[in-house]
Amino acid sequence: MNWMEKELELLSDASLERSLHASSSVSGSPGYTVRGEQVLLNLSSNDYLGLSQHAAIMEVMREALLTEAAGSGASRLVTGNRLPYVRLEESLADWQNCEAALVFANGYMANSGVISALIGRGDVVFSDQLNHASIVDGIVLSRAEHARYRHNDMEHLRTLLIKYRDKRRKLIVTDAVFSMDGDQARLHELISLKREYGAMLMVDEAHSGGIYGGRGEGLCHELGLQNDVDIHMGTFSKSFGVYGAYICGSRTLIRWLVNKARPLIYSTALPPSIVAGISKALALVQEENWRRERLYAASRLFRSSLCDAGFNIGASDSPIVPLIVGDNDAALRFSGALEEEGVLAVAIRPPTVPDGTARIRFSLSAVHTDKELTNAVARIHNIGLRLGVLSP
């Protein structure tokens, strides 16, 4: 197995080797984390609404742990489909205004399981070039043709739809908000194209669920397009502050997935305590609209401040703010310098992002105050000047 050492050396030389760093939460301060003995302002978490430490969620989970046991004991098709699952899926269907819902263990399992259940050999999937890795892997597992279109390039997608118009089944799949750039999919145009060419449309709301929509339903609802999307996917590990994922759609879709989605069929069900916590988080997401309003305000402040300082942060308006550095080593040094200054903001490098676009990916939360963000921007600005990312 000596080949591993050689390959790892190549990754290290290219500033692409990854490693694990132990962190712990700060009780009562969800906007902070601890690494070693240092308390850091956490600008890397996907806890967009600040629910990960919500007392009501933790109490519901504690109660379920005592009444429903530590684990589910089996897959959902055996004995793992406990009553909390049934209640949650009924609430999810009502929230999304869909006929039915299905909960998965996590977003990776949901995307890989749903895509490989819907299409196979002889079919084709049209996937945005910047879609999440779980979507890409689901397409690979499906053995269908993979037609990747340039990011948000609808003319390129149209060309591919024409090229593959005779395929048996056609699926268009996209992130609603792209995880590394924070920009939005062109959902209006995608819906027009899926109708014109007879394709199914699947939208991944992982980074938009809880944030957009009157009750946090996601970007599709924000734009009034929910009834035109065939498969709604979302996660509970970001805005909801818990863990897991969901699919919403027609009763026929959910029946099909129960019979064909291998990650659902062959995995032990989520512990009942987690499912109970998700249900409470779902209620809070709908009720506490002030969290979304605070997140929008924090995003505007942080984004405009970095833009005014001269950084390249793209053109999105979401809580995901990419500070494009370019060079892999420079991104690592930038992240390290931020940590020394008390800010946790992780460097994102290829293959997660395209070559030459290494970045610091900031993720904001409703719990971040204006003062914390303003102070962070001052430190980011100074480091940018010191490392030559910004010109004096």
Side-chain angles (χ1 to χ4, degrees), residues 125-356:
V125 186
F126 304 92
S127 173
D128 190 289
Q129 197 168 19
L130 296 188
N131 276 341
H132 190 266
S134 58
I135 293 174
V136 176
D137 289 357
I139 298 168
V140 172
L141 286 170
S142 75
R143 299 180 177 87
E145 190 88 26
H146 187 182
R148 299 183 77 181
Y149 59 91
R150 290 185 291 271
H151 178 51
N152 269 341
D153 188 335
M154 296 298 100
E155 286 307 310
H156 188 213
L157 174 57
R158 179 183 291 277
T159 299
L160 293 172
L161 283 162
I162 293 171
K163 178 180 178 180
Y164 294 103
R165 69 191 315 160
D166 294 328
K167 287 288 186 178
R168 182 183 61 162
R169 296 178 192 145
K170 297 179 282 291
L171 172 67
I172 301 170
V173 59
T174 184
D175 287 352
V177 169
F178 293 89
S179 60
M180 292 299 123
D181 289 81
D183 57 336
Q184 299 178 2
R186 296 180 177 175
L187 292 177
H188 285 96
E189 295 168 78
L190 287 170
I191 287 167
S192 295
L193 287 170
K194 81 110 176 177
R195 286 174 175 164
E196 184 176 352
Y197 293 94
M200 298 175 285
L201 176 61
M202 176 176 175
V203 177
D204 180 336
E205 297 261 24
H207 291 274
S208 50
I211 298 174
Y212 298 97
R215 296 186 298 155
E217 303 98 325
L219 186 61
C220 294
H221 283 73
E222 175 88 5
L223 300 176
L225 301 174
Q226 65 271 17
N227 295 329
D228 299 304
V229 174
D230 302 293
I231 306 105
H232 295 263
M233 179 271 183
T235 61
F236 303 118
S237 54
K238 299 172 179 66
S239 291
F240 287 75
V242 195
Y243 187 68
Y246 64 87
I247 297 293
C248 288
S250 68
R251 290 188 184 88
T252 300
L253 169 68
I254 300 308
R255 285 176 59 203
W256 180 259
L257 296 178
V258 167
N259 285 274
K260 296 293 183 178
R262 293 171 68 87
L264 177 87
I265 298 168
Y266 298 110
S267 293
T268 298
L270 280 172
S273 58
I274 299 293
V275 179
I278 294 169
S279 289
K280 184 60 181 178
L282 176 59
L284 291 169
V285 164
Q286 297 177 73
E287 295 164 4
E288 297 187 348
N289 193 54
W290 66 265
R291 293 180 181 272
R292 278 182 286 281
E293 295 299 328
R294 173 58 206 154
L295 181 62
Y296 299 153
S299 300
R300 288 192 296 268
L301 171 65
F302 190 73
R303 188 176 294 279
S304 63
S305 298
L306 287 180
C307 188
D308 291 344
F311 287 107
N312 176 8
I313 58 168
S316 70
D317 61 356
S318 75
I320 299 169
V321 184
L323 192 159
I324 310 300
V325 176
D327 179 74
N328 298 332
D329 184 62
L332 284 175
R333 287 187 286 114
F334 205 125
S335 178
L338 281 170
E339 187 165 335
E340 291 175 2
E341 292 288 329
V343 176
L344 179 62
V346 175
I348 306 294
R349 295 154 288 156
T352 306
V353 294
D355 288 335

